[in-house]
Amino acid sequence: MESSGGRAEGSGRGPRVLVVGSGIAGLGAAQRLCRHPAFQQLRVLEATARAGGRIRSERGFGGVVELGAHWIHGPSQGNPVFQLAAKYQLLGEKDLSEENQLIETGGHVGLPSVSYASSGVSVSRELVVEMASLFYSLIDQTREFLHMADAPVPSVGEYLKKEICQHAAGWTEDEETRKLKLAILNSFFNVECCVSGTHSMDLVALAPFGEYTVLPGLDCTFPGGYQGLTNCIMASLPEDVIVFNKPVKTIHWNGSFQEALSPGERFPVLVECEDRTCFPAHHVIITVPLGFLKEHLDTFFEPALPPQKAEAIRKIGFGTSNKIFLEFEEPFWEPDCRHIQVVWEDMSPLEDVTCGLQHVWFKKLIGFFVLPSFASVHVLCGFIAGLESEFMETLSDEEVLLSLTQVLRRVTGNARLPAPRSVLRSCWYSAPYTRGSYSYVAVGSTGDDIDLLAQPLPEEGAKAQLQILFAGEATHRTFYSTTHGALLSGWREADRLIALQDPQAQLPGPWL
Ligand SMILES: Cc1cc2nc3c(=O)[nH]c(=O)nc-3n(C[C@H](O)[C@H](O)[C@H](O)COP(=O)(O)OP(=O)(O)OC[C@H]3O[C@@H](n4cnc5c(N)ncnc54)[C@H](O)[C@@H]3O)c2cc1C
């Protein structure tokens, strides 16, 4: 194995620290460490050719499209992503206003502007409002089981369905309307699957569901792209800190490794990359996505992780949510339309789908958000989660475009609706260094598993060594799945190292 060369070598400049991954967690940790004089030997190893990870903005359709993170959830003073974005002047005036920051959405997605049914008619606004109100009141109820000894059923999905069954028993409308109501509710289940990044709400644990914390503020976007934020953090780091195209293969820990350039010095960790280069270190902050950890659990750590930690990695949920952008010559929607809901009249949350994915994958699509028009370009952004989303990744652009053209023609009742000019989509499940979109607390796991994942190694007894530290969105107990959870987790682990090195340091935490 070759040894690394360059900036981080040399002794007498404090501990040698490696950060694995340059998403917002890794960049946040690196920025914080670089500002402390004790951390002059720092490197970030990134598997791909770019920084930002699941924050990924691309030029497209005459503007910017977000293939990963879309909104700042809860943009208000308690949100560090909002604060940083404001500091770097990346937000619009309205998004910064006090008024926006005070809005309480409860984390619910707003009402659609229009709802199309699969038979080609618009669904009555009244029914949609009634079903949205029922669905979100039930979602709010799920949070009440957090501090109860026993939840009535294991999953959020089962709870919602049980309650919906009871409500449906009291519906007095004709059979067709009752069926339509269930179909509308099914569409809200699909939205919730996108929010939780899961295939089914039956996989999401009920008791800990309320632990996810919603901050105040009306969700906002970055006019110039989310990646402007990670670019700004990156620009604040010394130039050669990030090493790109350096996928880490195995982290050897609890060892005593030497290096030719530093005779006599011993390092407890050795990070081995896929190209066989090796980086000895005193501390390593791992920020790779949970999906990657799940897939490489058997080979990524040597020795293997303690059984409880490995079990937490297996148990915490990590699913797929993707976006499909469609570009149109002319908009077929009204100028004030923001969100188009699609309701499949043959679907019900109370019945399981039995057909093969290739025939029904598009029925999981929640509909489309209308992107602000860039010049004369008109773009819709569809969201789709779960196994259907993973199946979509196996199709070609042409197949996706054809299927969605057929869907749009069918639901608008316009067989001549011009096909979109082009399609662009994310494929997060196929991405080898991500393997999905974001984490959720799955049935069989609790917030304790998240805390367990976040615990540094080695465990108790050898505490002061802090050889391996864990950050990334999946390690934040109350803000998992978000960019602000990821950023806070990076700061948390940087502060842990700073406190070890400099016990007198004034740290702004706790980062909970
Ligand atoms: C489609 C989608 C929509 C989303 N929407 C939102 C949203 O609207 N709002 C929100 O707050 N959040 C959203 N999120 C979630 C948010 O993007 C993530 O929670 C956050 O960006 C995760 O940051 P991270 O640093 O933990 O991980 P990542 O950004 O995934 O960074 C991890 C880095 O590690 C690298 N890596 C992996 N394996 C290795 C290896 N072996 N060696 C070296 N490097 C490696 C990866 O390449 C990556 O750069 C969305 C995510 C997706 C996918």
Side-chain angles (χ1 to χ4, degrees), residues 195-210:
V195 172
S196 285
T198 183
H199 172 60
S200 160
M201 293 311 288
D202 290 0
L203 302 174
V204 180
L206 177 60
F209 194 58

Side-chain angles (χ1 to χ4, degrees), residues 20-26 45-48 50 52-55 67-71 73 226 246-248 287-289 292 300 321-323 426 428 433-434 437-438 472-473 481-484 486:
V20 182
S22 70
I24 193 165
L45 304 180
E46 168 55 49
T48 68
R50 58 174 284 280
R54 282 169 276 171
I55 293 177
L67 289 173
H70 206 99
W71 293 280
H73 292 309
Y226 224 123
K246 261 300 173 209
V248 169
T287 73
V288 304
F292 178 90
F300 201 57
S321 181
N322 274 311
K323 301 182 190 177
S426 62
W428 288 105
Y433 298 107
T434 314
S437 295
Y438 33 88
E473 57 84 13
S481 80
T482 65
T483 54
H484 51 283

Side-chain angles (χ1 to χ4, degrees), residues 192-386:
E192 212 49 39
C193 285
C194 285
V195 172
S196 285
T198 183
H199 172 60
S200 160
M201 293 311 288
D202 290 0
L203 302 174
V204 180
L206 177 60
F209 194 58
E211 204 155 13
Y212 175 86
T213 304
V214 177
L215 293 169
L218 186 65
D219 289 4
C220 69
T221 56
F222 288 74
Y226 224 123
Q227 211 176 298
L229 180 66
T230 42
N231 287 346
C232 282
I233 305 178
M234 194 167 60
S236 76
L237 301 175
E239 215 171 273
D240 53 354
V241 161
I242 307 183
V243 188
F244 291 103
N245 300 308
K246 261 300 173 209
V248 169
K249 185 176 166 220
T250 303
I251 293 166
H252 304 267
W253 59 292
N254 251 351
S256 177
F257 301 99
Q258 292 190 65
E259 180 184 54
L261 287 173
S262 317
E265 200 169 357
R266 296 197 172 257
F267 301 89
V269 191
L270 186 75
V271 172
E272 180 191 348
C273 297
E274 278 178 15
D275 63 6
R276 296 185 68 78
T277 47
C278 284
F279 295 82
H282 296 101
H283 311 286
V284 179
I285 302 180
I286 296 173
T287 73
V288 304
L290 181 63
F292 178 90
L293 276 185
K294 280 177 184 282
E295 187 174 45
H296 298 278
L297 193 51
D298 293 343
T299 51
F300 201 57
F301 299 96
E302 170 53 44
L305 293 179
Q308 266 193 314
K309 180 97 151 183
E311 198 50 24
I313 290 173
R314 284 189 204 102
K315 284 200 301 193
I316 303 170
F318 195 78
T320 305
S321 181
N322 274 311
K323 301 182 190 177
I324 308 174
F325 297 91
L326 298 176
E327 181 202 7
F328 290 83
E329 205 93 41
E330 294 294 335
F332 63 85
W333 53 92
E334 297 295 323
D336 59 351
C337 176
R338 293 281 156 268
H339 172 191
I340 300 169
Q341 181 184 36
V342 174
V343 174
W344 290 92
E345 287 149 300
D346 56 345
M347 301 293 277
S348 160
L350 307 180
E351 286 164 29
D352 290 331
V353 179
T354 47
C355 305
L357 283 178
Q358 78 226 56
H359 305 296
V360 291
W361 70 267
F362 43 83
K363 293 190 182 179
K364 193 70 167 274
L365 197 82
I366 66 163
F368 301 89
F369 284 85
V370 180
L371 294 196
S373 342
F374 320 115
S376 58
V377 185
H378 309 283
V379 182
L380 294 182
C381 174
F383 287 74
I384 183 166

